[in-house]
Amino acid sequence: MSKPVILIVEDDSLISKFMSRAITEAGYKSIVAETASAARMLFLSEMPNVVLLDLGLPDDDGLNLIPDMKKYRKEASIIVVSARERENEKVKALDLGADDYVTKPFGIFELLARIRTALRHSEKAAADPDGNDSGIFTHKGLTLDTVRHIVTLNGEPVHMTIREFKILELLFRHKGKVLTYAWMMEQIWGSYIPADNQILRVNVTNIRRKLKENIEDPIFIKTELGIGYRMPDDIE
């Protein structure tokens, strides 16, 4: 069985060598590109499972690579690894199609955990590119049945409104991935998007209350401050 391929797009050789060594020791194949142009060529030739993408590249903004990569291979997972900490930069990267965002400096164990999550997502997308499934999702005692439109928690039924159900379904379908406020609202309200995200926040608050969520240590819906929401992956 071939090893998963991780493409590191990083112009700082010290950082790329550090990442490459850790990735190789974890049992993956690592390849490195120091420019956007090299990244484009390696992406097409090596078909990586996961891309670790720096944004500050010498020949182009890394943000411009995201839609191109997703266009050619949507099942590849893109994790932005950048020193840019502003929320609008993170939101832009995620809205362009990035699957995750890690801010420098980072812990290597955290990065490897994000890679493992990304690999599960890319494997699922590759095996089921059209997103077909049984319509039943489960996570730590919570079950959502999209066919019968039923939500249960530890076997007990939980009443959800239509919009609350749609929010939960989005989070389940993209488990482990940060979903921005704007993207979620577009998916749920379509062309009738409210002027701000307050209505989304209210719906999420109601869901958490119904699921008896511990806000200090949530297991169903985590808030990414200023960005959006994420359902934690099973390993978290």
Side-chain angles (χ1 to χ4, degrees):
M1 184 175 180
S2 59
K3 296 179 179 180
V5 179
I6 315 297
L7 171 58
I8 301 168
V9 186
E10 171 63 65
D11 65 328
D12 187 317
S13 61
L14 290 177
I15 294 177
S16 64
K17 287 178 182 177
F18 167 70
M19 294 169 70
S20 181
R21 183 171 61 251
I23 287 167
T24 301
E25 290 176 353
Y28 310 127
K29 176 184 177 181
S30 69
I31 51 177
V32 179
E34 295 185 351
T35 64
S37 58
R40 286 188 172 94
M41 288 189 292
L42 283 173
F43 184 82
L44 294 174
S45 62
E46 297 289 338
M47 301 288 282
N49 303 91
V50 177
V51 179
L52 302 179
L53 177 64
D54 183 29
L55 300 182
L57 302 172
D59 57 338
D60 199 358
D61 191 316
L63 287 172
N64 295 328
L65 290 174
I66 297 173
D68 290 345
M69 289 178 171
K70 283 296 185 179
K71 177 182 177 181
Y72 288 110
R73 194 158 184 261
K74 64 180 181 180
E75 67 267 22
S77 293
I78 300 175
I79 302 175
V80 173
V81 184
S82 176
R84 299 181 188 177
E85 297 182 347
R86 290 180 297 179
E87 289 178 355
N88 65 321
E89 294 279 0
K90 296 180 181 180
V91 170
K92 188 173 183 180
L94 293 165
D95 280 341
L96 285 171
D99 298 276
D100 203 350
Y101 198 111
V102 177
T103 304
K104 296 177 181 176
F106 55 86
I108 195 60
F109 293 112
E110 177 193 2
L111 184 65
L112 290 173
R114 303 287 185 102
I115 290 173
R116 289 193 296 271
T117 297
L119 282 170
R120 282 196 293 275
H121 293 169
S122 64
E123 287 167 4
K124 180 180 179 182
D128 189 14
D130 297 322
N132 296 321
D133 52 58
S134 64
I136 299 176
F137 301 89
T138 61
H139 178 70
K140 297 185 177 180
L142 177 64
T143 299
L144 182 140
D145 186 331
T146 62
V147 177
R148 296 188 297 164
H149 206 84
I150 293 173
V151 177
T152 61
L153 179 62
N154 298 322
E156 296 296 322
V158 180
H159 173 72
M160 294 284 172
T161 67
I162 292 176
R163 287 204 172 101
E164 290 167 359
F165 190 92
K166 287 183 177 179
I167 291 170
L168 264 184
E169 183 177 353
L170 279 180
L171 290 164
F172 263 117
R173 289 189 181 277
H174 302 275
K175 187 162 66 171
K177 179 176 179 178
V178 179
L179 307 182
T180 65
Y181 298 128
W183 186 85
M184 291 183 71
M185 291 174 70
E186 181 181 358
Q187 300 301 308
I188 296 164
W189 282 275
S191 58
Y192 301 97
I193 300 176
D196 57 43
N197 58 33
Q198 182 60 29
I199 190 170
L200 175 62
R201 292 172 182 266
V202 170
N203 275 271
V204 170
T205 297
N206 289 337
I207 293 171
R208 285 170 164 163
R209 176 178 52 79
K210 292 177 180 181
L211 298 180
K212 299 178 174 60
E213 183 84 296
N214 179 359
I215 302 302
E216 297 300 322
D217 185 25
I219 62 174
F220 300 122
I221 306 176
K222 286 184 178 289
T223 299
E224 301 291 338
L225 290 177
I227 301 173
Y229 299 106
R230 173 173 61 90
M231 179 174 284
D233 194 75
D234 292 328
I235 66 169
E236 295 184 48

